[in-house]
Amino acid sequence: EDQVTQSPEALRLQEGESSSLNCSYTVSGLRGLFWYRQDPGKGPEFLFTLYSAGEEKEKERLKATLTKKESFLHITAPKPEDSATYLCAVQGLNSNSGYALNFGKGTSLLVTP
Amino acid sequence: GAVVSQHPSWVICKSGTSVKIECRSLDFQATTMFWYRQFPKQSLMLMATSNEGSKATYEQGVEKDKFLINHASLTLSTLTVTSAHPEDSSFYICSATRGAGELFFGEGSRLTVL
């Protein structure tokens, strides 16, 4: 069974203080690993998809990396508007649900001025 | 990016009534749509997978007679919570795929059952 574990559960940063969020996963065959941002009371907003170990993707202050066991979401010089819950999800090759995603519980990030 | 719209964004109903939530892909045809449920401070849990023109596939533990899913067209899927009870109060989110593993999520629908 696919499993996704995110850490830390919550993270508080000062504005400008860079850090990384972790997503550890086990999956029978990885079709893709996804990162989403979710604001309170909203649906997830797509950030990145990573497909193979060694792949990296960047968007503004965010950079996602992937290994065979985990993914990191690096946040460089965060701003208060980066405060949100960041969700990691995997899509398995052998999923009975086709393209459905298996989500972690998320990391709640708070960036203070 | 692709747009997925949900309606209503929030609904309050009395116990025992039925509630319908719509999920539309606005600028692409979605062969498959997914319905998730999210309780406070919890992750998104897949409820069912909906393919256009066929019966939905439900995840273990999800009552198909309680959560009726219809995917009548390539741009619309509906979730009907029948005879809703307070324990059904949750945040329901749909997502749609246009293939290639890309999934786009709706804004979610907050259901409160009194």
Side-chain angles (χ1 to χ4, degrees), chain B residues 3-19:
Chain B
V3 178
V4 177
S5 173
Q6 271 185 252
H7 178 81
S9 55
W10 58 270
V11 57
I12 301 173
C13 70
K14 291 183 178 179
S15 185
T17 60
S18 295
V19 174

PDB file of all heavy atoms in Angstrom, chain B residues 3-19:
ATOM      1  N   VAL B   3      -8.795  24.795 -15.185  1.00  0.00           N
ATOM      2  CA  VAL B   3      -9.696  25.277 -14.145  1.00  0.00           C
ATOM      3  C   VAL B   3     -10.767  24.244 -13.856  1.00  0.00           C
ATOM      4  O   VAL B   3     -11.430  23.733 -14.762  1.00  0.00           O
ATOM      5  CB  VAL B   3     -10.356  26.600 -14.563  1.00  0.00           C
ATOM      6  CG1 VAL B   3     -11.325  27.059 -13.480  1.00  0.00           C
ATOM      7  CG2 VAL B   3      -9.307  27.664 -14.822  1.00  0.00           C
ATOM      8  N   VAL B   4     -10.915  23.953 -12.564  1.00  0.00           N
ATOM      9  CA  VAL B   4     -11.977  23.068 -12.093  1.00  0.00           C
ATOM     10  C   VAL B   4     -12.833  23.863 -11.118  1.00  0.00           C
ATOM     11  O   VAL B   4     -12.312  24.470 -10.180  1.00  0.00           O
ATOM     12  CB  VAL B   4     -11.394  21.824 -11.395  1.00  0.00           C
ATOM     13  CG1 VAL B   4     -12.515  20.953 -10.833  1.00  0.00           C
ATOM     14  CG2 VAL B   4     -10.559  21.013 -12.381  1.00  0.00           C
ATOM     15  N   SER B   5     -14.112  23.859 -11.368  1.00  0.00           N
ATOM     16  CA  SER B   5     -15.033  24.660 -10.558  1.00  0.00           C
ATOM     17  C   SER B   5     -15.975  23.763  -9.775  1.00  0.00           C
ATOM     18  O   SER B   5     -16.507  22.783 -10.307  1.00  0.00           O
ATOM     19  CB  SER B   5     -15.844  25.581 -11.475  1.00  0.00           C
ATOM     20  OG  SER B   5     -16.847  26.263 -10.755  1.00  0.00           O
ATOM     21  N   GLN B   6     -16.190  24.098  -8.508  1.00  0.00           N
ATOM     22  CA  GLN B   6     -17.138  23.359  -7.678  1.00  0.00           C
ATOM     23  C   GLN B   6     -18.243  24.295  -7.220  1.00  0.00           C
ATOM     24  O   GLN B   6     -18.023  25.468  -6.961  1.00  0.00           O
ATOM     25  CB  GLN B   6     -16.438  22.807  -6.426  1.00  0.00           C
ATOM     26  CG  GLN B   6     -15.841  21.448  -6.596  1.00  0.00           C
ATOM     27  CD  GLN B   6     -15.277  20.882  -5.314  1.00  0.00           C
ATOM     28  OE1 GLN B   6     -14.067  20.790  -5.156  1.00  0.00           O
ATOM     29  NE2 GLN B   6     -16.153  20.469  -4.396  1.00  0.00           N
ATOM     30  N   HIS B   7     -19.423  23.704  -7.074  1.00  0.00           N
ATOM     31  CA  HIS B   7     -20.567  24.487  -6.604  1.00  0.00           C
ATOM     32  C   HIS B   7     -21.530  23.591  -5.840  1.00  0.00           C
ATOM     33  O   HIS B   7     -21.810  22.477  -6.293  1.00  0.00           O
ATOM     34  CB  HIS B   7     -21.297  25.121  -7.801  1.00  0.00           C
ATOM     35  CG  HIS B   7     -22.506  25.886  -7.411  1.00  0.00           C
ATOM     36  ND1 HIS B   7     -22.454  27.170  -6.924  1.00  0.00           N
ATOM     37  CD2 HIS B   7     -23.815  25.532  -7.398  1.00  0.00           C
ATOM     38  CE1 HIS B   7     -23.667  27.578  -6.653  1.00  0.00           C
ATOM     39  NE2 HIS B   7     -24.512  26.619  -6.937  1.00  0.00           N
ATOM     40  N   PRO B   8     -22.010  24.002  -4.691  1.00  0.00           N
ATOM     41  CA  PRO B   8     -21.737  25.270  -4.030  1.00  0.00           C
ATOM     42  C   PRO B   8     -20.408  25.209  -3.265  1.00  0.00           C
ATOM     43  O   PRO B   8     -19.876  24.140  -3.035  1.00  0.00           O
ATOM     44  CB  PRO B   8     -22.912  25.404  -3.060  1.00  0.00           C
ATOM     45  CG  PRO B   8     -23.246  23.982  -2.705  1.00  0.00           C
ATOM     46  CD  PRO B   8     -22.987  23.182  -3.958  1.00  0.00           C
ATOM     47  N   SER B   9     -19.906  26.343  -2.877  1.00  0.00           N
ATOM     48  CA  SER B   9     -18.663  26.377  -2.117  1.00  0.00           C
ATOM     49  C   SER B   9     -18.921  26.056  -0.645  1.00  0.00           C
ATOM     50  O   SER B   9     -18.021  25.607   0.055  1.00  0.00           O
ATOM     51  CB  SER B   9     -17.973  27.729  -2.259  1.00  0.00           C
ATOM     52  OG  SER B   9     -18.863  28.767  -1.880  1.00  0.00           O
ATOM     53  N   TRP B  10     -20.144  26.339  -0.212  1.00  0.00           N
ATOM     54  CA  TRP B  10     -20.509  25.913   1.131  1.00  0.00           C
ATOM     55  C   TRP B  10     -22.012  25.680   1.188  1.00  0.00           C
ATOM     56  O   TRP B  10     -22.773  26.307   0.463  1.00  0.00           O
ATOM     57  CB  TRP B  10     -20.071  26.906   2.205  1.00  0.00           C
ATOM     58  CG  TRP B  10     -20.622  28.278   2.042  1.00  0.00           C
ATOM     59  CD1 TRP B  10     -20.079  29.311   1.352  1.00  0.00           C
ATOM     60  CD2 TRP B  10     -21.851  28.769   2.595  1.00  0.00           C
ATOM     61  NE1 TRP B  10     -20.893  30.412   1.428  1.00  0.00           N
ATOM     62  CE2 TRP B  10     -21.983  30.119   2.187  1.00  0.00           C
ATOM     63  CE3 TRP B  10     -22.859  28.207   3.385  1.00  0.00           C
ATOM     64  CZ2 TRP B  10     -23.075  30.906   2.554  1.00  0.00           C
ATOM     65  CZ3 TRP B  10     -23.942  28.992   3.744  1.00  0.00           C
ATOM     66  CH2 TRP B  10     -24.037  30.325   3.321  1.00  0.00           C
ATOM     67  N   VAL B  11     -22.413  24.751   2.032  1.00  0.00           N
ATOM     68  CA  VAL B  11     -23.833  24.447   2.165  1.00  0.00           C
ATOM     69  C   VAL B  11     -24.107  23.960   3.583  1.00  0.00           C
ATOM     70  O   VAL B  11     -23.310  23.216   4.157  1.00  0.00           O
ATOM     71  CB  VAL B  11     -24.275  23.401   1.114  1.00  0.00           C
ATOM     72  CG1 VAL B  11     -23.470  22.125   1.223  1.00  0.00           C
ATOM     73  CG2 VAL B  11     -25.757  23.110   1.206  1.00  0.00           C
ATOM     74  N   ILE B  12     -25.222  24.428   4.102  1.00  0.00           N
ATOM     75  CA  ILE B  12     -25.699  23.987   5.416  1.00  0.00           C
ATOM     76  C   ILE B  12     -27.041  23.320   5.217  1.00  0.00           C
ATOM     77  O   ILE B  12     -27.917  23.872   4.534  1.00  0.00           O
ATOM     78  CB  ILE B  12     -25.837  25.178   6.386  1.00  0.00           C
ATOM     79  CG1 ILE B  12     -24.481  25.880   6.553  1.00  0.00           C
ATOM     80  CG2 ILE B  12     -26.359  24.705   7.740  1.00  0.00           C
ATOM     81  CD1 ILE B  12     -24.563  27.168   7.350  1.00  0.00           C
ATOM     82  N   CYS B  13     -27.217  22.144   5.779  1.00  0.00           N
ATOM     83  CA  CYS B  13     -28.489  21.452   5.590  1.00  0.00           C
ATOM     84  C   CYS B  13     -28.909  20.768   6.892  1.00  0.00           C
ATOM     85  O   CYS B  13     -28.098  20.587   7.812  1.00  0.00           O
ATOM     86  CB  CYS B  13     -28.391  20.425   4.461  1.00  0.00           C
ATOM     87  SG  CYS B  13     -27.363  19.002   4.849  1.00  0.00           S
ATOM     88  N   LYS B  14     -30.158  20.398   6.931  1.00  0.00           N
ATOM     89  CA  LYS B  14     -30.673  19.681   8.090  1.00  0.00           C
ATOM     90  C   LYS B  14     -30.391  18.193   7.955  1.00  0.00           C
ATOM     91  O   LYS B  14     -30.321  17.652   6.837  1.00  0.00           O
ATOM     92  CB  LYS B  14     -32.183  19.896   8.218  1.00  0.00           C
ATOM     93  CG  LYS B  14     -32.580  21.315   8.594  1.00  0.00           C
ATOM     94  CD  LYS B  14     -34.078  21.416   8.768  1.00  0.00           C
ATOM     95  CE  LYS B  14     -34.493  22.817   9.194  1.00  0.00           C
ATOM     96  NZ  LYS B  14     -35.966  22.932   9.351  1.00  0.00           N
ATOM     97  N   SER B  15     -30.264  17.540   9.060  1.00  0.00           N
ATOM     98  CA  SER B  15     -30.030  16.104   9.072  1.00  0.00           C
ATOM     99  C   SER B  15     -31.170  15.379   8.357  1.00  0.00           C
ATOM    100  O   SER B  15     -32.342  15.712   8.540  1.00  0.00           O
ATOM    101  CB  SER B  15     -29.931  15.618  10.522  1.00  0.00           C
ATOM    102  OG  SER B  15     -29.582  14.261  10.574  1.00  0.00           O
ATOM    103  N   GLY B  16     -30.813  14.439   7.499  1.00  0.00           N
ATOM    104  CA  GLY B  16     -31.822  13.674   6.772  1.00  0.00           C
ATOM    105  C   GLY B  16     -32.072  14.156   5.361  1.00  0.00           C
ATOM    106  O   GLY B  16     -32.694  13.440   4.562  1.00  0.00           O
ATOM    107  N   THR B  17     -31.599  15.335   5.036  1.00  0.00           N
ATOM    108  CA  THR B  17     -31.787  15.855   3.683  1.00  0.00           C
ATOM    109  C   THR B  17     -30.626  15.437   2.791  1.00  0.00           C
ATOM    110  O   THR B  17     -29.594  14.957   3.267  1.00  0.00           O
ATOM    111  CB  THR B  17     -31.902  17.382   3.678  1.00  0.00           C
ATOM    112  OG1 THR B  17     -30.700  17.940   4.211  1.00  0.00           O
ATOM    113  CG2 THR B  17     -33.089  17.833   4.512  1.00  0.00           C
ATOM    114  N   SER B  18     -30.824  15.610   1.485  1.00  0.00           N
ATOM    115  CA  SER B  18     -29.776  15.265   0.516  1.00  0.00           C
ATOM    116  C   SER B  18     -29.176  16.528  -0.068  1.00  0.00           C
ATOM    117  O   SER B  18     -29.863  17.530  -0.245  1.00  0.00           O
ATOM    118  CB  SER B  18     -30.358  14.397  -0.602  1.00  0.00           C
ATOM    119  OG  SER B  18     -30.782  13.154  -0.081  1.00  0.00           O
ATOM    120  N   VAL B  19     -27.909  16.457  -0.357  1.00  0.00           N
ATOM    121  CA  VAL B  19     -27.180  17.616  -0.880  1.00  0.00           C
ATOM    122  C   VAL B  19     -26.401  17.200  -2.121  1.00  0.00           C
ATOM    123  O   VAL B  19     -25.729  16.165  -2.111  1.00  0.00           O
ATOM    124  CB  VAL B  19     -26.191  18.162   0.175  1.00  0.00           C
ATOM    125  CG1 VAL B  19     -25.329  19.262  -0.411  1.00  0.00           C
ATOM    126  CG2 VAL B  19     -26.946  18.654   1.406  1.00  0.00           C
TER     127      VAL B  19
END
